[in-house]
Amino acid sequence: MTDTVGIAGGQILAFIERIEQIETEIAELNEGKKETFAEAKGEGFDVKILKEIIKLRKQDKDERDEHETVLDLYVRAIEEAEKAPAAKAA
């Protein structure tokens, strides 16, 4: 009933098989990454910190500096806000 004239089924199948292979490779790499984090944790390293370092290393220096500046600003603002109610109560 359906006419497939002009549709390159073999080419579509080749793309799909390549994508499936890549997905398999990604899953294997993700498993390796998970195992590496588990190994690092077993050696006593903090996995959250390792992930943060990886994230920071992906940023350029200016981006890291901006992030640290804004983070520091927000933390200081929160600290000031927490002090304010205590000052009013006194």
Side-chain angles (χ1 to χ4, degrees):
M1 294 186 139
T2 307
D3 186 9
T4 59
V5 175
I7 297 178
Q11 191 175 13
I12 293 169
L13 180 59
F15 280 124
I16 291 187
E17 288 173 344
R18 284 173 50 199
I19 292 167
E20 289 171 340
Q21 178 60 36
I22 291 168
E23 288 176 344
T24 300
E25 292 170 9
I26 289 170
E28 291 169 357
L29 290 170
N30 282 330
E31 185 61 30
K33 181 177 169 182
K34 181 180 172 183
E35 291 170 3
T36 303
F37 278 124
E39 183 181 345
K41 184 176 182 177
E43 293 290 326
F45 293 100
D46 186 322
V47 171
K48 283 184 177 181
I49 299 300
L50 295 177
K51 288 179 179 182
E52 183 69 20
I53 292 169
I54 291 166
K55 179 181 169 186
L56 290 172
R57 287 172 50 101
K58 290 179 182 178
Q59 298 173 344
D60 65 24
K61 182 172 178 3
D62 292 337
E63 193 175 1
R64 278 195 312 268
D65 290 345
E66 180 181 347
H67 172 82
E68 289 174 10
T69 300
V70 173
L71 178 63
D72 182 58
L73 178 66
Y74 284 14
V75 169
R76 286 188 290 129
I78 290 170
E79 289 170 351
E80 290 299 317
E82 290 173 339
K83 290 178 189 175
K88 289 180 184 177

